[in-house]
Amino acid sequence: FRFCYDNLLQKMIFYKMLRFTTNQLSCTALPQVNNVRGIKSFKPPILYDHIQIPERPKLHYIDRVPNYSNSQLRPPKMHKMLGLMRGPETVHNKLIHKQYGIQATGGGRMRFIHFEVIRMGLLRKLDWSRMFAIWRIDSPWQAVTKKGQGQRMGGGKGSIDHYVTPIRSGRIIIEIAGHCEYLEVKDILSKISAKLPFKAKAVSQEILELDSAKEKWQIENNQNKYTLEYLIKNNMDDLQRKVKKIDHRFFGKYV
């Protein structure tokens, strides 16, 4: 009887020690997991019922030289017209399809090669069965002249070398729409915008609305009244004579 009691007591002590060690391990080393069911709240899927994909979704080819109706007309030479690149774009600065696109954040000129960079970059990357793209700028129309290498000064204006399209800040270059989200086309548009001859960025309708709201808020909540506009208008430190002519109109916002 004594032998059986001792064995039973040893077993109880052993199981008690084992239970203590397992509880201690679970409290220190093992993570605590609460298997509790909860309500999941996912965003509803985006509906694209209002979007109709056109028959030709791809960007059309852009002519290198403008086509004149009269074949006997001599292509006119033009001035530089730098004002076409300065200042903000006031007309084509919004998205027609309210989805995605590339927006210029600085002024510049687009040549034929830049049109091809955009067209070929989108041609190889987008899924044209559910997306489409459109141009928002004109084909090259402004003539740029150049003299041959090694010529002496004088002799009149040089011959036409190539054609360009002037771009202002805020101009929408292209638009992409269809059954897609912004994350699908963001990298594609960002890589293309980095290859353009002026500063540009990939935008969506939400980004444009946030930018306009942020600019409006900064103007309304600005506590420093001595802005560049205030200094130029009041001719402080004789700024009206020192600043550029364009700063009299845009007050240092645009180059």
Side-chain angles (χ1 to χ4, degrees), residues 21-86:
T21 54
T22 53
N23 291 336
Q24 189 176 10
L25 285 173
S26 62
C27 292
T28 56
L30 300 178
Q32 296 292 329
V33 179
N34 295 326
N35 296 324
V36 180
R37 296 178 181 177
I39 299 175
K40 304 295 188 296
S41 58
F42 297 106
K43 294 183 180 179
I46 303 175
L47 299 178
Y48 301 103
D49 299 336
H50 61 285
I51 298 175
Q52 295 181 357
I53 299 178
E55 296 181 359
R56 296 182 177 180
K58 301 179 182 179
L59 293 175
H60 62 84
Y61 180 79
I62 296 294
D63 294 329
R64 186 188 295 266
V65 179
N67 296 322
Y68 295 99
S69 57
N70 188 1
S71 60
Q72 298 179 355
L73 179 66
R74 188 175 182 181
K77 299 176 183 179
M78 303 180 184
H79 299 288
K80 291 184 178 180
M81 294 186 285
L82 300 180
L84 298 176
M85 298 181 288
R86 289 175 173 171

Side-chain angles (χ1 to χ4, degrees):
F1 177 77
R2 180 62 182 263
F3 177 75
C4 294
Y5 178 77
D6 291 341
N7 290 339
L8 182 61
L9 187 62
Q10 289 177 3
K11 288 182 179 180
M12 291 175 65
I13 294 171
F14 175 76
Y15 284 123
K16 193 173 182 179
M17 292 177 63
L18 183 63
R19 190 184 305 169
F20 175 77
T21 54
T22 53
N23 291 336
Q24 189 176 10
L25 285 173
S26 62
C27 292
T28 56
L30 300 178
Q32 296 292 329
V33 179
N34 295 326
N35 296 324
V36 180
R37 296 178 181 177
I39 299 175
K40 304 295 188 296
S41 58
F42 297 106
K43 294 183 180 179
I46 303 175
L47 299 178
Y48 301 103
D49 299 336
H50 61 285
I51 298 175
Q52 295 181 357
I53 299 178
E55 296 181 359
R56 296 182 177 180
K58 301 179 182 179
L59 293 175
H60 62 84
Y61 180 79
I62 296 294
D63 294 329
R64 186 188 295 266
V65 179
N67 296 322
Y68 295 99
S69 57
N70 188 1
S71 60
Q72 298 179 355
L73 179 66
R74 188 175 182 181
K77 299 176 183 179
M78 303 180 184
H79 299 288
K80 291 184 178 180
M81 294 186 285
L82 300 180
L84 298 176
M85 298 181 288
R86 289 175 173 171
E89 177 63 41
T90 58
V91 180
H92 302 283
N93 55 2
K94 298 179 181 178
L95 297 171
I96 296 176
H97 298 283
K98 307 296 182 183
Q99 284 195 284
Y100 325 113
I102 295 178
Q103 184 185 34
T105 58
R109 287 173 170 176
M110 284 189 63
R111 299 179 62 169
F112 170 76
I113 186 63
H114 302 124
F115 285 88
E116 285 297 292
V117 166
I118 297 174
R119 191 177 69 88
M120 298 303 296
L122 295 180
L123 186 65
R124 298 166 181 168
K125 299 293 183 180
L126 294 186
D127 184 7
W128 298 106
S129 62
R130 57 188 179 90
M131 304 179 192
F132 66 94
I134 59 171
W135 292 109
R136 291 294 305 276
I137 53 178
D138 302 325
S139 58
W141 60 270
Q142 185 182 3
V144 177
T145 59
K146 183 180 179 182
K147 287 195 173 185
Q149 189 173 5
Q151 288 190 8
R152 295 178 180 271
M153 295 178 64
K157 193 172 179 65
S159 58
I160 295 176
D161 182 64
H162 59 276
Y163 290 86
V164 296
T165 300
I167 302 294
R168 283 195 174 109
S169 177
R171 179 71 182 257
I172 302 295
I173 308 299
I174 58 167
E175 270 195 59
I176 293 179
H179 303 175
C180 58
E181 296 185 8
Y182 180 60
L183 292 177
E184 297 182 54
V185 298
K186 180 182 177 181
D187 292 341
I188 301 172
L189 297 178
S190 298
K191 291 178 181 178
I192 292 176
S193 60
K195 299 176 183 178
L196 297 179
F198 44 81
K199 293 183 179 180
K201 64 178 182 179
V203 295
S204 63
Q205 182 64 24
E206 291 78 11
I207 293 176
L208 293 179
E209 293 174 357
L210 287 175
D211 290 345
S212 61
K214 182 180 178 181
E215 184 179 1
K216 183 179 179 181
W217 183 88
Q218 289 177 349
I219 295 173
E220 294 176 352
N221 296 273
N222 183 23
Q223 297 180 359
N224 181 19
K225 70 173 186 177
Y226 294 102
T227 59
L228 187 60
E229 181 179 357
Y230 180 87
L231 299 178
I232 293 176
K233 285 184 177 180
N234 291 276
N235 197 21
M236 299 184 71
D237 197 19
D238 197 18
L239 280 179
Q240 292 185 2
R241 186 179 60 86
K242 296 178 181 179
V243 299
K244 300 178 181 179
K245 291 184 179 180
I246 189 174
D247 290 332
H248 287 270
R249 183 178 178 186
F250 301 115
F251 307 105
K253 189 175 182 180
Y254 301 97
V255 179

